[in-house]
Amino acid sequence: MHAPVTGPIFAIYYPVFAAIAVPANLVAIVILSRGRCGLSRCITQYLVSMAVTDLLVVITAVVLNRIRGIYFPISFLTITPGCSMSAVITYASRDSSVWLTVAFTFDRCVAICYLKLKRKYCNKKTAAVVIETVCALSCVKNIPCYFMYEPLYIMNNVPWFCSIKPIFYTSPHWAAFDWLDRILTPCVPFVLILLLNALTVRHIIAVSRIRRRLRIQSNGENQSDTEMEGRRKSIILLLSISGSFILLWMTYVINLLYVRFTNGNYFAGSNYTDPRFILQESGYMLQLFSCCTNTCIYAATQGKFRDELKNAVKYPLTLIWKSNK
């Protein structure tokens, strides 16, 4: 688990980020769970699950790791079992969030490109199975992380802090696990999302041309197409979510590839002028920032979500106004 970096920038950024990200994800969970946004139950399940896992990432990686490490360096989470378990939960939440984005992208690709398969796959029951499977596999995959750490020192028979075991750097088994972890998150999702989006966009462009040509031939003019309008809204939501994921994870992936293919190590310390420090910490900050962007995307692309959000803001204000009458 990446140790929190101290400094005024991070001491301000992470609390402000958490103060925005936690309420944003909670609002998204509540509004989407009500089912009044005009989205199918299948899409709603994916979006709610993504918001839940994003919220867990913010709580574990930002609040319990970075903010706690900056403002409360000594706590029960600095005991070795506590910080080891925190690492497992953080990695499991991160993997679940990433792979649910992939699952959502695949679901929309099937719904748009493969109409016959859509009837069997794109439904509430299948979505529930996929979500449960992704979360379960993410938890199982990260169990070895608990055994990756050892105490930095022991005081009064109490193990404190987490230090990666030396065998982690020499054992072929740990090396294989480390490579598998980096490949599965985020490299494979990165590639899959790009390929699925490319396939979906290509299909929509081809279908749009055919339908436009048929409408002109049958009606003699280019009339509106309600089905394509619905698909257009769906693809905007899809590309906004997956596109933001790619953009915000890109710096992290670049730093990961740099470390792997130059046989280097992750930068340790807080040298704010070092390019490697800037690249590494920018990658972490943008990666975590991706956990609060989906709510903004829903508000920007979904009119009914905006209406529900306005109603949620007006409701407590209305109660206050009535109570003061």
Side-chain angles (χ1 to χ4, degrees):
M1 182 169 53
H2 175 59
V5 180
T6 58
I9 296 176
F10 305 102
I12 296 173
Y13 172 79
Y14 286 120
V16 172
F17 169 74
I20 297 173
V22 171
N25 282 296
L26 286 174
V27 167
I29 292 169
V30 172
I31 292 178
L32 291 170
S33 298
R34 290 165 62 88
R36 299 179 181 178
C37 296
L39 301 171
S40 68
R41 292 183 178 181
C42 176
I43 295 177
T44 299
Q45 277 193 302
Y46 280 114
L47 297 182
V48 170
S49 65
M50 290 161 63
V52 171
T53 53
D54 285 346
L55 177 61
L56 288 175
V57 172
V58 175
I59 292 174
T60 55
V62 178
V63 177
L64 298 182
N65 181 27
R66 283 157 178 78
I67 296 177
R68 190 271 312 161
I70 294 172
Y71 290 97
F72 308 99
I74 304 297
S75 68
F76 73 96
L77 287 177
T78 53
I79 299 174
T80 304
C83 64
S84 297
M85 182 57 67
S86 177
V88 173
I89 297 174
T90 299
Y91 290 141
S93 302
R94 176 206 63 181
D95 289 356
S96 297
S97 175
V98 170
W99 280 98
L100 285 174
T101 304
V102 177
F104 171 74
T105 306
F106 179 76
D107 178 90
R108 292 301 84 202
C109 180
V110 171
I112 294 171
C113 301
Y114 305 99
L115 297 181
K116 293 183 179 179
L117 183 59
K118 174 184 177 180
R119 299 183 183 92
K120 296 181 179 180
Y121 184 82
C122 301
N123 54 67
K124 183 179 179 181
K125 183 178 179 180
T126 302
V129 172
V130 172
I131 292 167
E132 291 169 2
T133 302
V134 167
C135 294
L137 290 177
S138 297
C139 292
V140 171
K141 175 227 170 193
N142 288 288
I143 289 177
C145 294
Y146 183 85
F147 306 98
M148 189 169 67
Y149 301 99
E150 65 179 6
L152 187 61
Y153 60 85
I154 298 176
M155 181 181 295
N156 297 326
N157 294 324
V158 178
W160 288 94
F161 298 99
C162 286
S163 176
I164 296 178
K165 295 177 179 178
I167 194 175
F168 179 83
Y169 301 101
T170 58
S171 170
H173 299 93
W174 278 115
F177 173 79
D178 190 42
W179 270 103
L180 181 65
D181 176 61
R182 304 300 180 180
I183 290 173
L184 290 179
T185 308
C187 294
V188 172
F190 211 79
V191 174
L192 286 177
I193 288 175
L194 285 173
L195 292 176
L196 290 170
N197 281 336
L199 178 62
T200 303
V201 171
R202 187 182 68 174
H203 176 83
I204 287 180
I205 292 174
V207 171
S208 299
R209 289 174 178 173
I210 294 173
R211 292 180 67 89
R212 189 181 301 112
R213 192 178 302 117
L214 291 175
R215 290 200 312 275
I216 293 175
Q217 291 176 355
S218 60
N219 300 323
E221 58 182 359
N222 191 3
Q223 297 181 347
S224 61
D225 190 331
T226 55
E227 182 178 341
M228 289 308 300
E229 181 65 19
R231 289 190 177 188
R232 185 185 70 83
K233 293 180 179 179
S234 180
I235 197 63
I236 289 175
L237 177 63
L238 169 64
L239 293 181
S240 299
I241 292 176
S242 54
S244 68
F245 169 83
I246 291 172
L247 290 175
L248 293 173
W249 275 79
M250 186 174 295
T251 305
Y252 177 88
V253 172
I254 291 172
N255 183 62
L256 171 65
L257 295 176
Y258 171 80
V259 171
R260 291 293 166 179
F261 290 104
T262 59
N263 294 321
N265 296 315
Y266 288 98
F267 189 89
S270 301
N271 185 354
Y272 296 99
T273 61
D274 192 294
R276 286 190 57 195
F277 174 84
I278 296 173
L279 177 64
Q280 177 175 291
E281 292 306 316
S282 297
Y284 286 119
M285 294 169 75
L286 290 173
Q287 170 206 335
L288 292 170
F289 186 73
S290 67
C291 294
C292 76
T293 56
N294 285 348
T295 303
C296 299
I297 291 172
Y298 305 151
T301 61
Q302 303 295 311
K304 291 185 178 180
F305 184 92
R306 289 195 298 273
D307 294 337
E308 289 293 312
L309 184 59
K310 291 176 183 177
N311 292 334
V313 174
K314 290 179 181 178
Y315 182 73
L317 297 177
T318 303
L319 291 179
I320 295 173
W321 182 76
K322 289 182 177 180
S323 64
N324 291 330
K325 286 183 67 176

